[in-house]
Amino acid sequence: MLAVAAVLLIGTATGCGSGDSRTDGRANGGTSAPTCRPRAAVTFAQARRILGRYERVAATADRERDAALLADVAAGNALERSKAAYRQYASLPERERAALTRPAHYRDPEFHIPAGASWFLVTATRIRPTPQPTVLVFEAERGEHAQHTEHTPRAERAERAERVERAERADQVDRRKHGAGRKKSIGDAASWRLRAALPLQAGPLPRIATTPSGLATEADPTSRARTPRPYDIPTMYEDLWQTGGTQEAAALAPNAVTKEARSTYRHRDDELGAEGARRRFVPTRPRHRDSYALRTADGGVLAVVPLAHQQRLRVTRPGYQLTPSGEEAVYDPTPRSTVISTFHGQALAHLPRSGRPAVLSAKYALVDSR
C-alpha cells in the first residue's frame, strides 16, 4: 500500500480579541478568555499576485528549460515533473516540446484560501494550447529553495536573480501600487511555490465550501471520519495500473480518467515485439508525498494526492534485450533484459459525502529509468 504523508500545515496566524462576554448570565470578572479564529495566510489580492509571478517566471523558465529559475516559483512534484520534461526535451514528441514554448497563462482564476493554512488552491482556465480548466496549489516556502540556492554557484545565482528580476518588473509595479513593503513575508509573492497543476480530465469540479468571510476550510486527508479518505485514493487509483481495477479501484466512480488507466493495463503487452517482453506496473513510494484537501459544498472533500509507480519491462526469451525508448535512454541508454522506469505524479479527487469517490485528473512524469 502506498504511504501518503498528509500536509496539515495549520498556520499560527489568528485573529484574537477579548471582551466582557457572559456565558452563564453572571459576571466574568469584566473580561473573558480571548476568542481566536484562524486567519488566511494571504489576501485574495496577494494570491492573485502570487499566481501572476508564477506565470511570468515560469514562462521564461519553460522557454529556456531552466530548472534553477523554475525553482524560484515551483517546488515538489510540480517542479519534479517540469525538470523531467526539460531533461527529456530532445526525445519528447513535437507536441510536448511545443507546449514548453507557450507561456502558461490562466484566465478567470478563483482563489480558495483556507483559514489557518499555509497553502491555497486556485481553479482557473489555462488558455494554451487549448482552453482547459485547471487546479493549482500554491504553498508558502518550506526551506528547499534556500538549500537549493546555497549549493548553486554564485555566478549562476546572480544570473538567475537577474532573470527573475526581469520577469517580475510588472509585479513590482503592481506591488508598489498596492503599497507592499520591501520586507519579505508570507504574504510576499516570492515566498510561495506552485506545488500542483492538474488539468481537469473528468468533471465537473465540485463547489468549494466557504465560510461567511469567504474563506475555504482545510480537511484532514488522513481523518477516519470518512471512508474512503483522501489518504486512500493513491492506493485505489494505482490498483487500476496494477490489476486493471479488480481490487481497491473497484470503489472508484468510472469516468474518463479510470477508463484510460484500465485501457493501459489491458493493452500493456500489445505492442511489445519479438523479445516476448512483458510489462507490469508496481506501486512505489512517491518522492513528494504532500496532500492538500478542502471541504466541498456537498459535505465532501476535494483533494490533491501523490501518485507513483514503476513500469517494469522484461524479456521472456533467452538471448534478447530491450532497447530503451528515447525518454528512458536519457537516464540509461544501455540495452538490457529488464527496463524499470519510475513515474511520479499527482491526482485530483472528489470524495462526496455520499457516493463513490471520483478521480478527476491524474498526471505522471517519467523521472528515472534503469
Side-chain angles (χ1 to χ4, degrees):
M1 176 179 289
L2 285 176
V4 182
V7 172
L8 299 173
L9 301 176
I10 306 300
T12 58
T14 58
C16 301
S18 61
D20 117 359
S21 66
R22 299 178 183 178
T23 61
D24 59 359
R26 294 174 295 178
N28 193 25
T31 61
S32 65
T35 300
C36 299
R37 295 181 180 178
R39 297 183 310 197
V42 291
T43 66
F44 290 100
Q46 288 170 331
R48 186 176 294 276
R49 288 197 290 274
I50 289 165
L51 174 62
R53 178 178 186 267
Y54 167 75
E55 289 177 321
R56 286 185 285 275
V57 176
T60 302
D62 285 349
R63 186 172 58 251
E64 299 178 4
R65 301 191 298 280
D66 187 335
L69 179 61
L70 188 64
D72 283 310
V73 292
N77 184 253
L79 178 61
E80 180 184 27
R81 294 200 334 248
S82 291
K83 287 171 67 175
Y86 295 171
R87 186 172 178 181
Q88 300 162 27
Y89 181 81
S91 301
L92 293 176
E94 176 60 32
R95 176 178 56 84
E96 294 183 34
R97 292 203 302 270
L100 289 175
T101 66
R102 301 187 183 102
H105 182 67
Y106 297 93
R107 185 182 65 204
D108 302 325
E110 294 184 15
F111 300 93
H112 308 281
I113 306 172
S118 58
W119 63 276
F120 64 88
L121 184 145
V122 185
T123 55
T125 299
R126 178 167 177 158
I127 63 174
R128 296 186 182 91
T130 57
Q132 187 169 29
T134 303
V135 170
L136 306 100
V137 173
F138 288 89
E139 186 178 355
E141 184 179 4
R142 296 188 200 167
E144 300 100 321
H145 179 65
Q147 182 179 6
H148 169 86
T149 302
E150 181 182 348
H151 293 285
T152 304
R154 182 177 300 175
E156 292 183 24
R157 294 204 304 269
E159 182 182 354
R160 189 177 77 240
E162 183 178 348
R163 290 199 300 274
V164 171
E165 183 177 356
R166 290 198 301 268
E168 289 187 300
R169 281 173 183 167
D171 187 47
Q172 291 170 353
V173 171
D174 184 59
R175 288 173 61 199
R176 284 197 296 271
K177 183 173 70 174
H178 287 82
R182 294 179 176 272
K183 185 177 179 180
K184 184 175 176 181
S185 67
I186 195 170
D188 192 309
S191 300
W192 291 77
R193 303 286 180 270
L194 177 77
R195 287 272 173 174
L198 293 166
L200 185 65
Q201 297 169 300
L205 276 172
R207 189 162 60 90
I208 302 299
T210 57
T211 66
S213 58
L215 297 179
T217 301
E218 185 177 33
D220 181 354
T222 65
S223 172
R224 297 187 179 276
R226 66 174 60 247
T227 303
R229 306 165 294 173
Y231 180 91
D232 301 319
I233 294 297
T235 298
M236 297 169 70
Y237 183 72
E238 292 294 353
D239 178 58
L240 292 166
W241 295 82
Q242 189 175 20
T243 73
T246 62
Q247 298 178 25
E248 291 92 340
L252 291 173
N255 60 20
V257 179
T258 59
K259 181 179 179 180
E260 181 180 359
R262 279 193 174 96
S263 177
T264 301
Y265 174 82
R266 291 190 187 117
H267 300 286
R268 63 194 181 281
D269 296 331
D270 287 3
E271 299 178 3
L272 302 181
E275 306 92 345
R278 291 292 178 265
R279 187 197 321 265
R280 67 189 183 105
F281 299 96
V282 179
T284 188
R285 184 183 180 91
R287 181 174 299 152
H288 302 283
R289 295 176 290 139
D290 314 321
S291 296
Y292 306 88
L294 293 178
R295 299 196 182 281
T296 56
D298 63 3
V301 170
L302 182 68
V304 173
V305 296
L307 299 174
H309 63 236
Q310 288 183 340
Q311 172 187 270
R312 298 183 180 179
L313 276 170
R314 65 178 182 85
V315 298
T316 60
R317 297 176 183 172
Y320 284 92
Q321 288 188 317
L322 296 166
T323 300
S325 69
E327 292 96 327
E328 292 166 340
V330 169
Y331 302 95
D332 185 354
T334 310
R336 49 199 185 271
S337 60
T338 302
V339 177
I340 300 176
S341 300
T342 302
F343 294 82
H344 289 168
Q346 291 172 304
L348 175 71
H350 175 215
L351 295 85
R353 184 171 184 175
S354 61
R356 302 159 77 180
V359 177
L360 307 180
S361 179
K363 299 293 289 182
Y364 292 92
L366 171 69
V367 297
D368 192 32
S369 185
R370 303 296 172 190

